[in-house]
Amino acid sequence: KQEVTQIPAALSVPEGENLVLNCSFTDSAIYNLQWFRQDPGKGLTSLLLIQSSQREQTSGRLNASLDKSSGRSTLYIAASQPGDSATYLCAVEPQGAQKLVFGQGTRLTINP
Amino acid sequence: AAGVIQSPRHLIKEKRETATLKCYPIPRHDTVYWYQQGPGQDPQFLISFYEKMQSDKGSIPDRFSAQQFSDYHSELNMSSLELGDSALYFCASSLGLVEQYFGPGTRLTVT
């Protein structure tokens, strides 16, 4: 059974810092991995999708990497801003399934 | 760009009542997914449909059923509601096995 873990559960940093969020998964047989952002009580906004054959994806100040063999992904946020404050969720789509398995998220606070 | 539409956005029901949640996927998307997110929890997969056929099933209670219609919209029917069913229910859609796009969610409160 695929399990996804995110560390840390919460992170608070001053504005302007670069930071890394971690995601690990137990079964390397995945189609893809997606990073989402969720504001309190709101929906999920897709940030980046990395397909299993890819190593990384970039969008603006965000960079996500994938090491499928070790079951790890990182989300790098450069030059953090208060507007980046949200919960960041990592999810994998297991091979042979049509669903996402989510981690518990990292609650990020950027202090002005 | 068109997004996933969910209705209603908020729903209040009493225990033992029934509820129907609707999802309209992004045009041309062929796959619809339903997720449940309890307070302070991560989204849990309920069920998915590809081309109107059930494609995967998660921890969906027997009291819940869902289907995808010929116009690709989907409905989640929930009967004999319990207090523990109070949650955010998300629908997502995709074109094949790629990026899933989530709707804004339906907040269900059972009293």
Side-chain angles (χ1 to χ4, degrees), chain A residues 31-32 34 36 38 40-49 51 89 93 96-105, chain B residues 31 33 35 37 40 42-45 48-50 55-57 88 90 96-105 107:
Chain A
Y31 282 129
N32 56 56
Q34 236 175 306
F36 294 89
Q38 185 174 32
K42 304 293 186 184
L44 283 76
T45 300
S46 179
L47 298 173
L48 289 164
L49 170 81
Q51 301 201 3
L89 291 154
E93 182 156 18
Q98 284 202 309
K99 65 180 180 183
L100 287 175
V101 178
F102 283 84
Q104 298 241 321
Chain B
T31 308
Y33 312 78
Y35 295 86
Q37 186 176 31
D42 55 287
Q44 295 292 314
F45 170 73
S48 60
F49 293 89
Y50 169 69
S55 53
D56 205 344
K57 191 172 179 181
L88 262 174
F90 289 109
L97 289 172
V98 285
E99 192 165 7
Q100 291 188 27
Y101 294 87
F102 279 69
R107 181 173 295 281

Side-chain angles (χ1 to χ4, degrees), chain B residues 34-107:
Chain B
W34 286 97
Y35 295 86
Q36 177 192 59
Q37 186 176 31
Q41 307 210 338
D42 55 287
Q44 295 292 314
F45 170 73
L46 294 177
I47 196 166
S48 60
F49 293 89
Y50 169 69
E51 287 289 345
K52 292 154 278 184
M53 299 289 290
Q54 181 182 306
S55 53
D56 205 344
K57 191 172 179 181
S59 46
I60 182 170
D62 292 341
R63 300 177 289 109
F64 294 6
S65 65
Q67 59 181 322
Q68 186 180 30
F69 294 85
S70 57
D71 64 352
Y72 292 93
H73 95 271
S74 179
E75 294 184 5
L76 177 66
N77 297 294
M78 310 159 70
S79 63
S80 302
L81 287 169
E82 301 173 356
L83 295 177
D85 296 330
S86 295
L88 262 174
Y89 289 83
F90 289 109
C91 172
S93 74
S94 69
L95 180 61
L97 289 172
V98 285
E99 192 165 7
Q100 291 188 27
Y101 294 87
F102 279 69
T106 293
R107 181 173 295 281

Side-chain angles (χ1 to χ4, degrees), chain A residues 35-103:
Chain A
W35 282 93
F36 294 89
R37 169 192 172 131
Q38 185 174 32
D39 293 288
K42 304 293 186 184
L44 283 76
T45 300
S46 179
L47 298 173
L48 289 164
L49 170 81
I50 310 178
Q51 301 201 3
S52 61
S53 59
Q54 299 174 323
R55 298 283 298 190
E56 67 178 321
Q57 284 287 334
T58 298
S59 176
R61 294 182 294 108
L62 305 179
N63 175 276
S65 67
L66 174 64
D67 184 342
K68 204 171 71 155
S69 60
S70 67
R72 282 190 270 188
S73 176
T74 60
L75 179 66
Y76 175 83
I77 303 177
S80 58
Q81 303 170 357
D84 295 331
S85 297
T87 295
Y88 290 79
L89 291 154
C90 164
V92 299
E93 182 156 18
Q95 284 187 8
Q98 284 202 309
K99 65 180 180 183
L100 287 175
V101 178
F102 283 84

